[in-house]
Amino acid sequence: MKKIKHLPKTENGHGVRYTLPNGEVYIISHNINTMKFTLWKEQEDGYEKIGTSSDPEVLYKKCK
């Protein structure tokens, strides 16, 4: 998927940072205009977009 340096300004809602026991970090951001949530994998040089959904629970399952 697409890799970016910073999360887009359109992700203007509350976000959740999730760290797995192996040290991988994921962020679920929220766009309040479209009511969509996006899952990002944090990397040394930015963020990789994993997926988007209207239900954040779907994205939590992708973190495992």
Side-chain angles (χ1 to χ4, degrees):
M1 282 245 138
K2 185 178 178 183
K3 193 182 280 189
I4 59 173
K5 293 268 184 198
H6 304 284
L7 295 181
K9 292 183 188 246
T10 55
E11 302 302 304
N12 52 3
H14 292 287
V16 175
R17 184 181 175 97
Y18 185 66
T19 304
L20 297 178
N22 65 5
E24 291 181 340
V25 177
Y26 291 88
I27 295 172
I28 296 179
S29 61
H30 185 203
N31 181 323
I32 60 174
N33 299 323
T34 62
M35 296 305 291
K36 297 284 184 179
F37 298 88
T38 303
L39 175 63
W40 306 89
K41 183 175 181 182
E42 189 175 84
Q43 298 179 340
E44 287 184 26
D45 57 345
Y47 300 90
E48 179 183 1
K49 184 177 178 180
I50 305 297
T52 301
S53 176
S54 58
D55 181 3
E57 289 294 322
V58 171
L59 301 174
Y60 276 116
K61 293 176 185 175
K62 291 185 177 187
C63 292
K64 299 178 181 179

